[in-house]
Amino acid sequence: MSDTYNRLAAGERLRLKRTLLGMTQEEMAERIGRVPKYYADIERGSCGMSVETLMALSHSLNMSLDYIIFGNESDNNVQKHQDEISAILDILDTCPDKKRDYALRLLKLFIAACNN
């Protein structure tokens, strides 16, 4: 874990989570109530962010403030696993019930096939 705030690294962590969730920068900006250019600048690390924006991102992306700011390496694998689960749940939440049931059956079959 670093003791300094690296805007480039924080922006990269946000970008990775956003893309994992299948969202565009415009969708993320709308979700947190900011303009797309400002959000894009955050991801590029060319600007910092207010505490309010940081909290909105933390809530929207289900990421800890510590992980966004510092990239706590000891929690990186746990965070990555949680990010993947969160991404799957977010995607399934947007599906109609019938398609969600089908997606879950496919996922179970895929996991079973990987374990053989």
Side-chain angles (χ1 to χ4, degrees):
M1 179 169 109
S2 174
D3 289 340
T4 60
Y5 171 50
N6 180 332
R7 291 190 316 211
L8 291 171
E12 179 66 11
R13 286 188 284 277
L14 294 170
R15 185 191 66 76
L16 288 172
K17 179 65 182 271
R18 176 186 56 77
T19 57
L20 182 65
L21 294 173
M23 295 173 54
T24 65
Q25 287 183 336
E26 291 78 15
E27 290 168 330
M28 189 68 239
E30 183 178 327
R31 193 173 199 183
I32 63 169
R34 304 300 186 271
V35 296
K37 170 138 178 31
Y38 176 59
Y39 180 73
D41 288 344
I42 291 171
E43 279 194 7
R44 278 193 296 275
S46 61
C47 73
M49 60 189 118
S50 67
V51 172
E52 291 79 10
T53 300
L54 183 60
M55 290 172 61
L57 287 167
S58 172
H59 177 74
S60 294
L61 295 171
N62 193 27
M63 296 171 75
S64 73
L65 297 172
D66 186 57
Y67 182 71
I68 293 171
I69 296 170
F70 299 114
N72 189 341
E73 292 300 323
S74 64
D75 292 338
N76 196 27
N77 289 337
V78 171
Q79 185 68 42
K80 183 179 178 190
H81 183 68
Q82 289 173 340
D83 289 350
E84 292 166 346
I85 292 169
S86 178
I88 291 168
L89 293 175
D90 285 348
I91 291 167
L92 290 175
D93 275 347
T94 65
C95 293
D97 289 343
K98 194 171 186 176
K99 288 186 178 182
R100 183 175 41 246
D101 291 341
Y102 183 69
L104 288 171
R105 286 195 314 257
L106 282 174
L107 183 58
K108 288 177 184 178
L109 286 171
F110 176 76
I111 291 170
C114 288
N115 290 332
N116 289 333

